[in-house]
Amino acid sequence: MHQEIKHIRIDGRLIHGQVVTKWIFVTKVDRIIVIDDEILNNPLEKNALKMSTPSNVKLSILGVESAVRNINNRKYKDQKVMVLTKTPRQLRMLAENGLEMKKINVGNISQREGSIQVRPSVFLKEEDIIDLSTLIKMGVDVTTQMVPADLEEKMENILEKIKG
């Protein structure tokens, strides 16, 4: 993994209280990269993310292709970066496009039609299970943890329980 990336998190809420007050503090990041192709074309959501970001933290909102290009070209090499996505799909696409990831934290995936609850704040659809399983098979350590004080749980164990 690129040494500038300090934390990769899946959180459907993206930038919110727990990310701002706990994860940014623990990881000491100075840039957040939100990777979401849909938000790129939504000025209202982009503005909300900008307003939610602390003033001492830079924000980039990127699509998958530009995120891979920027990170692999070491655009953020002198920064400490947190990557945020809403679902596992974006991270699977990043990995399949050559972005090396060692660890991913699943924090919150809200309930959607067709999803099943696997943790108090994690609801997975079949496509999420496939994406997370693919990342695990690629050698990525995928854990779930709402806040830094919570114990990490291996997503691999959770997925085996729901398959079994």
Side-chain angles (χ1 to χ4, degrees):
M1 185 163 81
H2 296 279
Q3 63 188 48
E4 61 268 20
I5 297 177
K6 301 301 178 195
H7 192 67
I8 300 174
R9 180 174 172 89
I10 300 169
D11 194 321
R13 301 164 299 174
L14 297 172
I15 302 170
H16 60 91
Q18 289 172 343
V19 168
V20 171
T21 63
K22 301 200 183 322
W23 289 106
I24 289 175
F25 178 76
V26 167
T27 59
K28 298 177 175 31
V29 298
D30 53 22
R31 176 174 297 276
I32 294 173
I33 300 176
V34 171
I35 302 173
D36 192 297
D37 289 307
E38 291 176 18
I39 293 176
L40 282 175
N41 300 312
N42 187 327
L44 193 62
E45 275 195 77
K46 282 169 71 172
N47 197 38
L49 288 171
K50 288 174 187 173
M51 291 186 338
S52 301
T53 304
S55 59
N56 62 331
V57 177
K58 297 175 187 82
L59 173 66
S60 298
I61 302 169
L62 304 172
V64 170
E65 287 181 22
S66 54
V68 170
R69 184 175 54 252
N70 287 357
I71 294 168
N72 282 339
N73 288 337
R74 306 295 312 273
K75 181 175 181 175
Y76 312 107
K77 69 180 172 128
D78 295 324
Q79 299 173 43
K80 296 178 188 111
V81 176
M82 177 186 302
V83 173
L84 290 174
T85 67
K86 286 184 179 182
T87 67
R89 175 64 35 103
Q90 295 92 349
L91 295 177
R92 177 183 173 179
M93 291 169 63
L94 288 172
E96 289 174 344
N97 281 286
L99 187 66
E100 184 185 338
M101 290 178 263
K102 286 190 178 14
K103 187 171 187 175
I104 294 170
N105 163 246
V106 180
N108 178 295
I109 302 176
S110 298
Q111 186 171 8
R112 299 157 288 155
E113 189 174 329
S115 64
I116 58 167
Q117 186 173 14
V118 298
R119 297 273 291 158
S121 63
V122 179
F123 295 80
L124 300 178
K125 293 177 80 166
E126 186 62 34
E127 66 196 44
D128 300 324
I129 293 168
I130 292 167
D131 292 337
L132 290 168
S133 296
T134 300
L135 287 162
I136 291 165
K137 285 178 189 150
M138 294 172 94
V140 180
D141 181 18
V142 182
T143 63
T144 180
Q145 183 182 25
M146 181 60 90
V147 294
D150 291 346
L151 289 174
E152 283 183 310
E153 190 172 346
K154 293 250 183 226
M155 189 56 75
E156 188 172 6
N157 298 338
I158 293 169
L159 295 178
E160 285 189 22
K161 285 179 196 169
I162 61 174
K163 288 178 186 173

